[in-house]
Amino acid sequence: MILILSYTEYEQCTDPVIDWLLYFNAKFIKLTIEDLYKNNNVKFDINRDKVFYKDIDLVDNVNVIFYRRFVKNINIDLENHKFCKQLQSELQYEVEYLTKYFFYILKDKLWVPNPMNSDIDKLTALSIAKECGLKTPNTIITQSKKEAEEFVNKYDSIIKPIHFSGYYISQETTYGIFTNSITLTDLAKIETPFFFPTLLQNKICKNFEIRIFFIGDLFYPTAIIVEDSNYDDVKRNYGMANINWIPYTLPNDIKEKLIKFSNLTKINTGSIDMMKDKSGDFVFIEINPVGQFIAPSSRCNYNVEKIISEFLIKNDK
Amino acid sequence: MINKNIFSEEDLNKLPLTHRKMDVYNTSDVRELYETSHFSNSTTHSSLYYLVHTPCKPFSNFIINGK
């Protein structure tokens, strides 16, 4: 049996895979974090290290696990309680630690991808990519204005979150943080010598970006072509007429290095961002093991969701 | 989209540099904020329903056709 761990609501890369599992008449269950704390559908037998969904023994029946964005903020209605914030935080930890045990019980299954490995940070990913012989951008993390100025003086630079930033929604106005260029003029405006740790990277002088979905040793690269390639963050071009998504073939040596990267990080599926720079070199930017793949999948006719479902069915034994 | 920040200079001095360059949108223009609720008809995915349900076309088609 296939186990899918995802969100209760629509998730753009889970539901299309489910569509194909239905089409192939595959046997599967989808669980969400809510199943662990709300519906009394999931029961643990600690003495035997077993977990049951209704009457189904997941340890005995599940062979392969498709892991999407399972862990999220729990939703318990405590709005009127004076300890609401503390309770919400503590109960969140309770569920997350229960999730750890849930993952431990199922540790011997084939995870696609394994959550223990898939929370890799950008800096570790860059370090391992370099170890695999891939070119990476010069990167620093700094709290110092002086150090930032020295870096920006040396390279055209960008700044981006070390991990992630979501939208800040204030009624009719929404604020977002994307990758941005930073200049000496920007830094001159800063009044203090130190600030919160910030990631600075040299801005790659690129021809185009490449989004590479992979699962096992199957690679599906997409070149994202934008007329003016001097942009900071391609996400700002999504939905515009001047962006083209084109199937792309990676050189064998780059593919081999990415397979080595996948082996070293123990990440068996995900989306890798690379850039081809003006001198023809391929530069590794980052990996997102649970990245969204629908845009390149549909625009390049890769049918990644079908490929994932076939991979799950093939390994369900 | 315009560039603007929502924090005071005093706050910005305590934040990463990234927070000095925030993009600003009309909330109604940020489509991904609404996609999840738009497609939430598919919550039936989280049940044993799928062990017995075998439609002849992808489930998303039902959602698209039902719009």
Side-chain angles (χ1 to χ4, degrees):
Chain A
M1 178 182 282
I2 297 161
L3 175 62
I4 297 169
L5 301 178
S6 186
Y7 289 169
T8 300
E9 63 273 14
Y10 178 82
E11 198 284 309
Q12 63 165 294
C13 293
T14 305
D15 293 30
V17 172
I18 287 177
D19 291 342
W20 280 106
L21 293 176
L22 292 168
Y23 178 81
F24 289 128
N25 205 15
K27 199 173 180 186
F28 69 94
I29 294 176
K30 176 183 164 184
L31 292 185
T32 71
I33 194 90
E34 286 85 356
D35 287 309
L36 292 191
Y37 71 93
K38 261 191 178 168
N39 311 322
N40 199 32
N41 285 333
V42 173
K43 291 189 172 59
F44 289 91
D45 180 341
I46 309 297
N47 292 328
R48 294 189 299 148
D49 278 341
K50 292 273 189 184
V51 56
F52 297 87
Y53 175 71
K54 298 197 171 166
D55 291 327
I56 302 170
D57 180 337
L58 297 182
V59 175
D60 281 355
N61 287 284
V62 169
N63 296 305
V64 56
I65 301 170
F66 182 43
Y67 174 79
R68 287 294 299 175
R69 299 165 178 216
F70 182 69
V71 178
K72 62 187 282 198
N73 289 339
I74 63 169
N75 180 20
I76 297 174
D77 187 12
L78 299 165
E79 293 296 327
N80 298 320
H81 200 286
K82 67 175 179 176
F83 293 116
C84 174
K85 203 172 170 185
Q86 183 177 346
L87 277 167
Q88 194 76 34
S89 164
E90 289 178 357
L91 294 179
Q92 178 75 34
Y93 278 119
E94 292 288 293
V95 173
E96 285 185 15
Y97 276 80
L98 180 59
T99 303
K100 281 188 180 194
Y101 177 62
F102 178 54
F103 290 176
Y104 170 77
I105 294 177
L106 298 169
K107 66 182 182 307
D108 296 328
K109 311 302 177 187
L110 175 64
W111 288 76
V112 186
N114 190 322
M116 306 299 177
N117 309 320
S118 64
D119 65 347
I120 188 168
D121 65 277
K122 286 176 190 165
L123 302 166
T124 303
L126 284 173
S127 173
I128 296 174
K130 205 186 297 179
E131 193 182 327
C132 296
L134 291 159
K135 190 173 174 184
T136 57
N138 293 300
T139 305
I140 60 165
I141 302 285
T142 185
Q143 300 177 64
S144 155
K145 181 179 170 180
K146 185 169 177 285
E147 194 181 353
E149 284 171 337
E150 285 167 3
F151 189 83
V152 172
N153 200 29
K154 201 169 171 185
Y155 306 107
D156 276 349
S157 302
I158 52 108
I159 46 174
K160 60 184 182 181
I162 294 171
H163 174 54
F164 167 78
S165 176
Y167 286 112
Y168 294 67
I169 304 163
S170 175
Q171 296 177 333
E172 69 276 9
T173 309
T174 291
Y175 303 83
I177 294 173
F178 293 90
T179 299
N180 270 305
S181 289
I182 187 160
T183 63
L184 288 171
T185 311
D186 294 324
L187 291 169
K189 292 176 190 162
I190 300 172
E191 294 167 352
T192 55
F194 301 106
F195 39 78
F196 198 85
T198 302
L199 189 158
L200 283 88
Q201 219 165 43
N202 79 295
K203 181 175 177 177
I204 304 298
C205 193
K206 58 191 169 296
N207 270 329
F208 52 84
E209 293 195 29
I210 308 165
R211 180 79 38 84
I212 306 152
F213 174 82
F214 73 99
I215 184 164
D217 57 1
L218 301 171
F219 283 70
Y220 300 91
T222 300
I224 307 172
I225 313 285
V226 179
E227 198 174 318
D228 177 7
S229 62
N230 194 36
Y231 56 83
D232 290 333
D233 194 324
V234 74
K235 287 195 281 293
R236 292 197 181 97
N237 296 76
Y238 288 177
M240 292 185 180
N242 66 348
I243 187 167
N244 293 288
W245 305 69
I246 297 165
Y248 190 76
T249 303
L250 290 169
N252 280 338
D253 64 315
I254 297 296
K255 193 176 160 187
E256 281 165 19
K257 287 171 185 172
L258 291 176
I259 290 171
K260 190 176 172 189
F261 174 85
S262 159
N263 292 336
L264 278 180
T265 54
K266 297 180 181 167
I267 297 172
N268 56 8
T269 187
S271 293
I272 294 171
D273 289 344
M274 296 190 80
M275 290 178 182
K276 188 173 184 190
D277 68 17
K278 297 280 187 193
S279 54
D281 289 334
F282 291 83
V283 185
F284 177 97
I285 305 296
E286 62 184 56
I287 178 172
N288 188 345
V290 290
Q292 307 292 21
F293 51 74
I294 289 300
S297 171
S298 58
R299 285 163 183 159
C300 294
N301 287 323
Y302 280 143
N303 280 319
V304 163
E305 50 277 19
K306 181 176 182 234
I307 288 154
I308 293 172
S309 69
E310 288 169 337
F311 184 90
L312 296 171
I313 291 166
K314 187 179 155 195
N315 287 285
D316 182 19
K317 54 188 175 189
Chain B
M1 189 277 295
I2 54 170
N3 279 91
K4 181 185 166 188
N5 63 54
I6 53 174
F7 302 106
S8 66
E9 192 60 35
E10 194 182 339
D11 285 339
L12 285 171
N13 288 334
K14 299 168 192 163
L15 298 174
L17 300 180
T18 45
H19 290 63
R20 290 175 176 267
K21 292 195 165 190
M22 297 181 84
D23 291 3
V24 186
Y25 303 91
N26 291 322
T27 301
S28 57
D29 293 339
V30 186
R31 191 166 173 258
E32 61 190 277
L33 295 177
Y34 302 100
E35 278 178 344
T36 296
S37 58
H38 181 75
F39 288 113
S40 61
N41 286 335
S42 66
T43 51
T44 45
H45 280 163
S46 57
S47 74
L48 273 178
Y49 171 74
Y50 283 107
L51 289 174
V52 292
H53 186 62
T54 53
C56 57
K57 62 178 179 178
F59 189 77
S60 50
N61 289 19
F62 291 110
I63 298 171
I64 293 161
N65 294 340
K67 274 205 290 190

